[in-house]
Amino acid sequence: MSWEDSVRKVVPYVAGEQPKQKDVIKLNTNECPYPPAPAVAKLAENLDTDAFRLYPDPDTTPIVTALAEYYGVKKEQVFVGVGSDDVISMAFLTFFNNEKPILFPDVTYSFYDVWADLYHIPYKTVALKDDWSIDVEGFKQENGGVIFPNPNAPTGLYMDLEYVEEIIKANPDVVVMVDEAYIDFGGKSALPLLEKYDNLLVIQTFSKSRAMAGLRIGFCIGNEKLIKYLNDVKFSFNSYTMNRPSQALGAAAVQDDAYFKEITGKIIATREWTKKELTRLGFTFPDSKANFIFASHKSVPAADIFNYLRQQNIYVRYWNKDRINNSLRITIGTDSQMQLLIAALEAYLG
Ligand code: PMP
């Protein structure tokens, strides 16, 4: 017997690369190419650094209040965490606590199985259909909980709310989590369904549509009882998860709705232009409603294109994994970044 026998062993999630050099066109981690709202920069310049002596508000009141107002829900229905990764991780720990396997798609956000392993939660994956869509029927088997992103990652495919509701309706005895990290790029949020279902948790993030991945802000909205249970677990884990600047700056971002709509609108327009160009160059992809496109080329292997783009200092994401090893996930950048990407692909693919 050695101490190593009692180690909690996990195969960790591999995050996308954050290159050190500055001249990279970074289309590999679905960040926003535009800066956060102007009010965020203004407030950041005037941060009260003396207050850093003090612990932050454990209830994250500024940001919870701003989000409750923005989404028209009660403060008691909002939970904030350090990125939606933190929110989802806490939610797994809180709600997926029984012997039955939880369900999620086989091709999806690759952190779900890592958290399940970490917390010893049994899980089963539901295979996407051949057109990459989520198989709603597969989520009607007995289970200990459900999570899926909408739009799904890394496919970008959005599922109409009627199907989201069908999954929730089929699972009244477990918590159903809809991970809406990419919902602000053209999809409809499941938030209105909260009125009908007390077992629904809708999770969103400031990392993409609010251009604040570096501050690590995520949140979820659900029935008051769900949020209370979630807070009980959070306060048994770490009371002060979110730091002072993130709480203040996050609240400022929510208050500038015009800017939010402007940048998400720009990203949507750039995405639609990029789709046409990729099609012209011989790529196919599921029709994305996210800030990325999951593309494969009709004749050139994804791994070759990935390596070529990297040499050109254009970073996209590639996984050498079953089912997805011939696709590249390309984040939507600015118009000029996407023009450079297309020009580079054109030169390579001839
Ligand atoms: N869910 C999905 C589907 C994602 O792609 C990501 C981004 N990696 C996250 C959640 C987590 O994002 P964050 O922790 O930055 O909010």
Side-chain angles (χ1 to χ4, degrees), residues 52-81:
F52 292 179
R53 292 182 298 106
L54 307 170
Y55 284 109
D57 176 355
D59 297 314
T60 61
T61 309
I63 197 160
V64 163
T65 307
L67 287 168
E69 258 170 42
Y70 184 81
Y71 289 105
V73 296
K74 293 188 209 151
K75 283 191 232 171
E76 294 75 19
Q77 289 183 266
V78 183
F79 175 88
V80 172

PDB file of all heavy atoms in Angstrom, residues 52-81:
ATOM      1  N   PHE A  52      -9.216  45.906  -1.959  1.00  0.00           N
ATOM      2  CA  PHE A  52      -8.714  44.542  -2.177  1.00  0.00           C
ATOM      3  C   PHE A  52      -8.264  43.890  -0.866  1.00  0.00           C
ATOM      4  O   PHE A  52      -8.082  42.674  -0.810  1.00  0.00           O
ATOM      5  CB  PHE A  52      -7.528  44.532  -3.167  1.00  0.00           C
ATOM      6  CG  PHE A  52      -7.892  44.886  -4.580  1.00  0.00           C
ATOM      7  CD1 PHE A  52      -6.921  44.927  -5.575  1.00  0.00           C
ATOM      8  CD2 PHE A  52      -9.211  45.182  -4.945  1.00  0.00           C
ATOM      9  CE1 PHE A  52      -7.245  45.255  -6.882  1.00  0.00           C
ATOM     10  CE2 PHE A  52      -9.547  45.519  -6.254  1.00  0.00           C
ATOM     11  CZ  PHE A  52      -8.549  45.561  -7.213  1.00  0.00           C
ATOM     12  N   ARG A  53      -8.084  44.686   0.179  1.00  0.00           N
ATOM     13  CA  ARG A  53      -7.749  44.134   1.501  1.00  0.00           C
ATOM     14  C   ARG A  53      -8.865  43.238   2.008  1.00  0.00           C
ATOM     15  O   ARG A  53      -8.655  42.326   2.800  1.00  0.00           O
ATOM     16  CB  ARG A  53      -7.600  45.268   2.536  1.00  0.00           C
ATOM     17  CG  ARG A  53      -6.442  46.184   2.350  1.00  0.00           C
ATOM     18  CD  ARG A  53      -6.404  47.222   3.469  1.00  0.00           C
ATOM     19  NE  ARG A  53      -7.584  48.099   3.516  1.00  0.00           N
ATOM     20  CZ  ARG A  53      -8.553  48.040   4.402  1.00  0.00           C
ATOM     21  NH1 ARG A  53      -8.528  47.132   5.359  1.00  0.00           N
ATOM     22  NH2 ARG A  53      -9.562  48.890   4.374  1.00  0.00           N
ATOM     23  N   LEU A  54     -10.065  43.581   1.611  1.00  0.00           N
ATOM     24  CA  LEU A  54     -11.253  42.936   2.177  1.00  0.00           C
ATOM     25  C   LEU A  54     -11.735  41.789   1.301  1.00  0.00           C
ATOM     26  O   LEU A  54     -11.649  41.855   0.073  1.00  0.00           O
ATOM     27  CB  LEU A  54     -12.380  43.974   2.304  1.00  0.00           C
ATOM     28  CG  LEU A  54     -12.003  45.240   3.062  1.00  0.00           C
ATOM     29  CD1 LEU A  54     -13.102  46.288   2.918  1.00  0.00           C
ATOM     30  CD2 LEU A  54     -11.768  44.908   4.539  1.00  0.00           C
ATOM     31  N   TYR A  55     -12.283  40.772   1.929  1.00  0.00           N
ATOM     32  CA  TYR A  55     -12.895  39.686   1.158  1.00  0.00           C
ATOM     33  C   TYR A  55     -14.029  40.252   0.309  1.00  0.00           C
ATOM     34  O   TYR A  55     -14.674  41.234   0.692  1.00  0.00           O
ATOM     35  CB  TYR A  55     -13.474  38.626   2.101  1.00  0.00           C
ATOM     36  CG  TYR A  55     -12.440  37.728   2.722  1.00  0.00           C
ATOM     37  CD1 TYR A  55     -12.129  37.824   4.076  1.00  0.00           C
ATOM     38  CD2 TYR A  55     -11.785  36.776   1.942  1.00  0.00           C
ATOM     39  CE1 TYR A  55     -11.180  36.990   4.651  1.00  0.00           C
ATOM     40  CE2 TYR A  55     -10.841  35.942   2.513  1.00  0.00           C
ATOM     41  CZ  TYR A  55     -10.537  36.048   3.867  1.00  0.00           C
ATOM     42  OH  TYR A  55      -9.610  35.223   4.410  1.00  0.00           O
ATOM     43  N   PRO A  56     -14.303  39.608  -0.811  1.00  0.00           N
ATOM     44  CA  PRO A  56     -15.436  40.082  -1.624  1.00  0.00           C
ATOM     45  C   PRO A  56     -16.771  39.645  -1.016  1.00  0.00           C
ATOM     46  O   PRO A  56     -16.800  38.830  -0.086  1.00  0.00           O
ATOM     47  CB  PRO A  56     -15.208  39.375  -2.958  1.00  0.00           C
ATOM     48  CG  PRO A  56     -14.458  38.131  -2.613  1.00  0.00           C
ATOM     49  CD  PRO A  56     -13.621  38.447  -1.409  1.00  0.00           C
ATOM     50  N   ASP A  57     -17.847  40.189  -1.540  1.00  0.00           N
ATOM     51  CA  ASP A  57     -19.196  39.800  -1.108  1.00  0.00           C
ATOM     52  C   ASP A  57     -19.414  38.315  -1.455  1.00  0.00           C
ATOM     53  O   ASP A  57     -19.395  37.954  -2.636  1.00  0.00           O
ATOM     54  CB  ASP A  57     -20.192  40.690  -1.871  1.00  0.00           C
ATOM     55  CG  ASP A  57     -21.638  40.325  -1.576  1.00  0.00           C
ATOM     56  OD1 ASP A  57     -21.869  39.316  -0.855  1.00  0.00           O
ATOM     57  OD2 ASP A  57     -22.529  41.036  -2.067  1.00  0.00           O
ATOM     58  N   PRO A  58     -19.605  37.461  -0.464  1.00  0.00           N
ATOM     59  CA  PRO A  58     -19.755  36.034  -0.769  1.00  0.00           C
ATOM     60  C   PRO A  58     -21.022  35.734  -1.576  1.00  0.00           C
ATOM     61  O   PRO A  58     -21.102  34.711  -2.257  1.00  0.00           O
ATOM     62  CB  PRO A  58     -19.819  35.365   0.610  1.00  0.00           C
ATOM     63  CG  PRO A  58     -20.188  36.453   1.560  1.00  0.00           C
ATOM     64  CD  PRO A  58     -19.688  37.732   0.982  1.00  0.00           C
ATOM     65  N   ASP A  59     -21.999  36.637  -1.516  1.00  0.00           N
ATOM     66  CA  ASP A  59     -23.243  36.423  -2.277  1.00  0.00           C
ATOM     67  C   ASP A  59     -23.182  37.023  -3.677  1.00  0.00           C
ATOM     68  O   ASP A  59     -24.177  37.000  -4.394  1.00  0.00           O
ATOM     69  CB  ASP A  59     -24.433  37.041  -1.519  1.00  0.00           C
ATOM     70  CG  ASP A  59     -24.643  36.365  -0.177  1.00  0.00           C
ATOM     71  OD1 ASP A  59     -24.616  35.117  -0.146  1.00  0.00           O
ATOM     72  OD2 ASP A  59     -24.807  37.074   0.836  1.00  0.00           O
ATOM     73  N   THR A  60     -22.048  37.598  -4.047  1.00  0.00           N
ATOM     74  CA  THR A  60     -21.865  38.235  -5.366  1.00  0.00           C
ATOM     75  C   THR A  60     -23.052  39.145  -5.727  1.00  0.00           C
ATOM     76  O   THR A  60     -23.532  39.131  -6.862  1.00  0.00           O
ATOM     77  CB  THR A  60     -21.635  37.181  -6.497  1.00  0.00           C
ATOM     78  OG1 THR A  60     -22.771  36.333  -6.568  1.00  0.00           O
ATOM     79  CG2 THR A  60     -20.412  36.340  -6.245  1.00  0.00           C
ATOM     80  N   THR A  61     -23.489  39.931  -4.739  1.00  0.00           N
ATOM     81  CA  THR A  61     -24.711  40.726  -4.902  1.00  0.00           C
ATOM     82  C   THR A  61     -24.724  41.654  -6.129  1.00  0.00           C
ATOM     83  O   THR A  61     -25.741  41.681  -6.836  1.00  0.00           O
ATOM     84  CB  THR A  61     -24.999  41.535  -3.620  1.00  0.00           C
ATOM     85  OG1 THR A  61     -24.962  40.622  -2.521  1.00  0.00           O
ATOM     86  CG2 THR A  61     -26.355  42.215  -3.669  1.00  0.00           C
ATOM     87  N   PRO A  62     -23.628  42.408  -6.416  1.00  0.00           N
ATOM     88  CA  PRO A  62     -23.736  43.343  -7.550  1.00  0.00           C
ATOM     89  C   PRO A  62     -24.104  42.646  -8.860  1.00  0.00           C
ATOM     90  O   PRO A  62     -24.985  43.096  -9.586  1.00  0.00           O
ATOM     91  CB  PRO A  62     -22.317  43.932  -7.658  1.00  0.00           C
ATOM     92  CG  PRO A  62     -21.651  43.637  -6.359  1.00  0.00           C
ATOM     93  CD  PRO A  62     -22.306  42.440  -5.765  1.00  0.00           C
ATOM     94  N   ILE A  63     -23.482  41.546  -9.094  1.00  0.00           N
ATOM     95  CA  ILE A  63     -23.690  40.883 -10.383  1.00  0.00           C
ATOM     96  C   ILE A  63     -25.000  40.074 -10.384  1.00  0.00           C
ATOM     97  O   ILE A  63     -25.722  40.032 -11.382  1.00  0.00           O
ATOM     98  CB  ILE A  63     -22.427  40.060 -10.715  1.00  0.00           C
ATOM     99  CG1 ILE A  63     -22.370  39.696 -12.166  1.00  0.00           C
ATOM    100  CG2 ILE A  63     -22.225  38.897  -9.904  1.00  0.00           C
ATOM    101  CD1 ILE A  63     -20.953  39.346 -12.580  1.00  0.00           C
ATOM    102  N   VAL A  64     -25.334  39.493  -9.250  1.00  0.00           N
ATOM    103  CA  VAL A  64     -26.612  38.769  -9.154  1.00  0.00           C
ATOM    104  C   VAL A  64     -27.777  39.746  -9.383  1.00  0.00           C
ATOM    105  O   VAL A  64     -28.723  39.453 -10.128  1.00  0.00           O
ATOM    106  CB  VAL A  64     -26.752  38.076  -7.769  1.00  0.00           C
ATOM    107  CG1 VAL A  64     -28.198  37.682  -7.487  1.00  0.00           C
ATOM    108  CG2 VAL A  64     -25.845  36.847  -7.690  1.00  0.00           C
ATOM    109  N   THR A  65     -27.674  40.936  -8.783  1.00  0.00           N
ATOM    110  CA  THR A  65     -28.732  41.935  -8.927  1.00  0.00           C
ATOM    111  C   THR A  65     -28.853  42.380 -10.381  1.00  0.00           C
ATOM    112  O   THR A  65     -29.954  42.453 -10.938  1.00  0.00           O
ATOM    113  CB  THR A  65     -28.413  43.165  -8.039  1.00  0.00           C
ATOM    114  OG1 THR A  65     -28.166  42.683  -6.716  1.00  0.00           O
ATOM    115  CG2 THR A  65     -29.554  44.157  -8.014  1.00  0.00           C
ATOM    116  N   ALA A  66     -27.695  42.646 -11.006  1.00  0.00           N
ATOM    117  CA  ALA A  66     -27.725  43.094 -12.406  1.00  0.00           C
ATOM    118  C   ALA A  66     -28.338  42.018 -13.307  1.00  0.00           C
ATOM    119  O   ALA A  66     -29.144  42.324 -14.189  1.00  0.00           O
ATOM    120  CB  ALA A  66     -26.305  43.439 -12.869  1.00  0.00           C
ATOM    121  N   LEU A  67     -27.971  40.768 -13.079  1.00  0.00           N
ATOM    122  CA  LEU A  67     -28.488  39.687 -13.921  1.00  0.00           C
ATOM    123  C   LEU A  67     -29.982  39.462 -13.688  1.00  0.00           C
ATOM    124  O   LEU A  67     -30.740  39.235 -14.637  1.00  0.00           O
ATOM    125  CB  LEU A  67     -27.710  38.390 -13.662  1.00  0.00           C
ATOM    126  CG  LEU A  67     -26.295  38.352 -14.236  1.00  0.00           C
ATOM    127  CD1 LEU A  67     -25.506  37.164 -13.683  1.00  0.00           C
ATOM    128  CD2 LEU A  67     -26.330  38.293 -15.770  1.00  0.00           C
ATOM    129  N   ALA A  68     -30.408  39.534 -12.415  1.00  0.00           N
ATOM    130  CA  ALA A  68     -31.831  39.333 -12.101  1.00  0.00           C
ATOM    131  C   ALA A  68     -32.673  40.398 -12.803  1.00  0.00           C
ATOM    132  O   ALA A  68     -33.709  40.096 -13.401  1.00  0.00           O
ATOM    133  CB  ALA A  68     -32.048  39.371 -10.592  1.00  0.00           C
ATOM    134  N   GLU A  69     -32.186  41.635 -12.774  1.00  0.00           N
ATOM    135  CA  GLU A  69     -32.914  42.711 -13.449  1.00  0.00           C
ATOM    136  C   GLU A  69     -32.944  42.489 -14.952  1.00  0.00           C
ATOM    137  O   GLU A  69     -33.980  42.615 -15.590  1.00  0.00           O
ATOM    138  CB  GLU A  69     -32.216  44.049 -13.170  1.00  0.00           C
ATOM    139  CG  GLU A  69     -32.929  44.863 -12.113  1.00  0.00           C
ATOM    140  CD  GLU A  69     -32.098  46.049 -11.672  1.00  0.00           C
ATOM    141  OE1 GLU A  69     -31.489  46.714 -12.538  1.00  0.00           O
ATOM    142  OE2 GLU A  69     -32.054  46.270 -10.442  1.00  0.00           O
ATOM    143  N   TYR A  70     -31.799  42.139 -15.498  1.00  0.00           N
ATOM    144  CA  TYR A  70     -31.693  41.994 -16.957  1.00  0.00           C
ATOM    145  C   TYR A  70     -32.607  40.879 -17.479  1.00  0.00           C
ATOM    146  O   TYR A  70     -33.276  41.034 -18.494  1.00  0.00           O
ATOM    147  CB  TYR A  70     -30.239  41.716 -17.342  1.00  0.00           C
ATOM    148  CG  TYR A  70     -30.027  41.660 -18.835  1.00  0.00           C
ATOM    149  CD1 TYR A  70     -29.886  42.836 -19.573  1.00  0.00           C
ATOM    150  CD2 TYR A  70     -29.971  40.438 -19.510  1.00  0.00           C
ATOM    151  CE1 TYR A  70     -29.712  42.802 -20.952  1.00  0.00           C
ATOM    152  CE2 TYR A  70     -29.792  40.396 -20.888  1.00  0.00           C
ATOM    153  CZ  TYR A  70     -29.664  41.573 -21.595  1.00  0.00           C
ATOM    154  OH  TYR A  70     -29.493  41.522 -22.956  1.00  0.00           O
ATOM    155  N   TYR A  71     -32.628  39.757 -16.762  1.00  0.00           N
ATOM    156  CA  TYR A  71     -33.413  38.615 -17.251  1.00  0.00           C
ATOM    157  C   TYR A  71     -34.824  38.561 -16.662  1.00  0.00           C
ATOM    158  O   TYR A  71     -35.573  37.629 -16.951  1.00  0.00           O
ATOM    159  CB  TYR A  71     -32.658  37.304 -16.992  1.00  0.00           C
ATOM    160  CG  TYR A  71     -31.449  37.177 -17.902  1.00  0.00           C
ATOM    161  CD1 TYR A  71     -30.165  37.372 -17.421  1.00  0.00           C
ATOM    162  CD2 TYR A  71     -31.606  36.907 -19.255  1.00  0.00           C
ATOM    163  CE1 TYR A  71     -29.057  37.286 -18.257  1.00  0.00           C
ATOM    164  CE2 TYR A  71     -30.507  36.821 -20.103  1.00  0.00           C
ATOM    165  CZ  TYR A  71     -29.243  37.008 -19.602  1.00  0.00           C
ATOM    166  OH  TYR A  71     -28.156  36.939 -20.442  1.00  0.00           O
ATOM    167  N   GLY A  72     -35.171  39.540 -15.826  1.00  0.00           N
ATOM    168  CA  GLY A  72     -36.527  39.591 -15.279  1.00  0.00           C
ATOM    169  C   GLY A  72     -36.859  38.420 -14.372  1.00  0.00           C
ATOM    170  O   GLY A  72     -37.948  37.844 -14.448  1.00  0.00           O
ATOM    171  N   VAL A  73     -35.889  38.034 -13.526  1.00  0.00           N
ATOM    172  CA  VAL A  73     -36.129  36.952 -12.559  1.00  0.00           C
ATOM    173  C   VAL A  73     -35.793  37.465 -11.158  1.00  0.00           C
ATOM    174  O   VAL A  73     -35.268  38.572 -11.007  1.00  0.00           O
ATOM    175  CB  VAL A  73     -35.271  35.693 -12.874  1.00  0.00           C
ATOM    176  CG1 VAL A  73     -35.660  35.092 -14.214  1.00  0.00           C
ATOM    177  CG2 VAL A  73     -33.775  36.020 -12.845  1.00  0.00           C
ATOM    178  N   LYS A  74     -36.105  36.657 -10.139  1.00  0.00           N
ATOM    179  CA  LYS A  74     -35.772  37.075  -8.773  1.00  0.00           C
ATOM    180  C   LYS A  74     -34.287  36.853  -8.510  1.00  0.00           C
ATOM    181  O   LYS A  74     -33.680  35.937  -9.074  1.00  0.00           O
ATOM    182  CB  LYS A  74     -36.554  36.217  -7.769  1.00  0.00           C
ATOM    183  CG  LYS A  74     -38.039  36.461  -7.816  1.00  0.00           C
ATOM    184  CD  LYS A  74     -38.662  35.717  -6.646  1.00  0.00           C
ATOM    185  CE  LYS A  74     -40.068  35.305  -6.966  1.00  0.00           C
ATOM    186  NZ  LYS A  74     -40.531  34.108  -6.309  1.00  0.00           N
ATOM    187  N   LYS A  75     -33.740  37.651  -7.588  1.00  0.00           N
ATOM    188  CA  LYS A  75     -32.321  37.480  -7.231  1.00  0.00           C
ATOM    189  C   LYS A  75     -32.050  36.066  -6.719  1.00  0.00           C
ATOM    190  O   LYS A  75     -30.976  35.510  -6.921  1.00  0.00           O
ATOM    191  CB  LYS A  75     -31.938  38.468  -6.125  1.00  0.00           C
ATOM    192  CG  LYS A  75     -31.739  39.872  -6.629  1.00  0.00           C
ATOM    193  CD  LYS A  75     -31.119  40.706  -5.544  1.00  0.00           C
ATOM    194  CE  LYS A  75     -31.950  41.948  -5.371  1.00  0.00           C
ATOM    195  NZ  LYS A  75     -31.610  42.758  -4.226  1.00  0.00           N
ATOM    196  N   GLU A  76     -33.051  35.518  -6.054  1.00  0.00           N
ATOM    197  CA  GLU A  76     -32.901  34.171  -5.472  1.00  0.00           C
ATOM    198  C   GLU A  76     -32.844  33.088  -6.538  1.00  0.00           C
ATOM    199  O   GLU A  76     -32.657  31.914  -6.239  1.00  0.00           O
ATOM    200  CB  GLU A  76     -34.072  33.869  -4.518  1.00  0.00           C
ATOM    201  CG  GLU A  76     -34.116  34.726  -3.277  1.00  0.00           C
ATOM    202  CD  GLU A  76     -34.606  36.160  -3.527  1.00  0.00           C
ATOM    203  OE1 GLU A  76     -35.247  36.409  -4.579  1.00  0.00           O
ATOM    204  OE2 GLU A  76     -34.323  37.040  -2.682  1.00  0.00           O
ATOM    205  N   GLN A  77     -33.046  33.489  -7.791  1.00  0.00           N
ATOM    206  CA  GLN A  77     -33.005  32.502  -8.884  1.00  0.00           C
ATOM    207  C   GLN A  77     -31.667  32.506  -9.626  1.00  0.00           C
ATOM    208  O   GLN A  77     -31.495  31.789 -10.608  1.00  0.00           O
ATOM    209  CB  GLN A  77     -34.114  32.793  -9.903  1.00  0.00           C
ATOM    210  CG  GLN A  77     -35.500  32.502  -9.397  1.00  0.00           C
ATOM    211  CD  GLN A  77     -36.512  32.743 -10.506  1.00  0.00           C
ATOM    212  OE1 GLN A  77     -37.074  33.824 -10.615  1.00  0.00           O
ATOM    213  NE2 GLN A  77     -36.720  31.747 -11.330  1.00  0.00           N
ATOM    214  N   VAL A  78     -30.735  33.361  -9.158  1.00  0.00           N
ATOM    215  CA  VAL A  78     -29.476  33.524  -9.889  1.00  0.00           C
ATOM    216  C   VAL A  78     -28.288  33.062  -9.036  1.00  0.00           C
ATOM    217  O   VAL A  78     -28.186  33.404  -7.861  1.00  0.00           O
ATOM    218  CB  VAL A  78     -29.266  35.016 -10.273  1.00  0.00           C
ATOM    219  CG1 VAL A  78     -27.988  35.180 -11.101  1.00  0.00           C
ATOM    220  CG2 VAL A  78     -30.468  35.558 -11.041  1.00  0.00           C
ATOM    221  N   PHE A  79     -27.397  32.309  -9.662  1.00  0.00           N
ATOM    222  CA  PHE A  79     -26.172  31.841  -9.008  1.00  0.00           C
ATOM    223  C   PHE A  79     -24.998  32.203  -9.906  1.00  0.00           C
ATOM    224  O   PHE A  79     -25.057  31.981 -11.116  1.00  0.00           O
ATOM    225  CB  PHE A  79     -26.245  30.324  -8.813  1.00  0.00           C
ATOM    226  CG  PHE A  79     -24.996  29.697  -8.263  1.00  0.00           C
ATOM    227  CD1 PHE A  79     -24.803  29.610  -6.888  1.00  0.00           C
ATOM    228  CD2 PHE A  79     -24.016  29.180  -9.115  1.00  0.00           C
ATOM    229  CE1 PHE A  79     -23.653  29.020  -6.368  1.00  0.00           C
ATOM    230  CE2 PHE A  79     -22.864  28.588  -8.605  1.00  0.00           C
ATOM    231  CZ  PHE A  79     -22.691  28.508  -7.227  1.00  0.00           C
ATOM    232  N   VAL A  80     -23.953  32.769  -9.296  1.00  0.00           N
ATOM    233  CA  VAL A  80     -22.808  33.216 -10.090  1.00  0.00           C
ATOM    234  C   VAL A  80     -21.555  32.433  -9.700  1.00  0.00           C
ATOM    235  O   VAL A  80     -21.337  32.138  -8.523  1.00  0.00           O
ATOM    236  CB  VAL A  80     -22.586  34.739  -9.869  1.00  0.00           C
ATOM    237  CG1 VAL A  80     -21.291  35.203 -10.524  1.00  0.00           C
ATOM    238  CG2 VAL A  80     -23.766  35.527 -10.449  1.00  0.00           C
ATOM    239  N   GLY A  81     -20.751  32.090 -10.692  1.00  0.00           N
ATOM    240  CA  GLY A  81     -19.516  31.354 -10.420  1.00  0.00           C
ATOM    241  C   GLY A  81     -18.356  31.872 -11.249  1.00  0.00           C
ATOM    242  O   GLY A  81     -18.510  32.783 -12.070  1.00  0.00           O
TER     243      GLY A  81
END
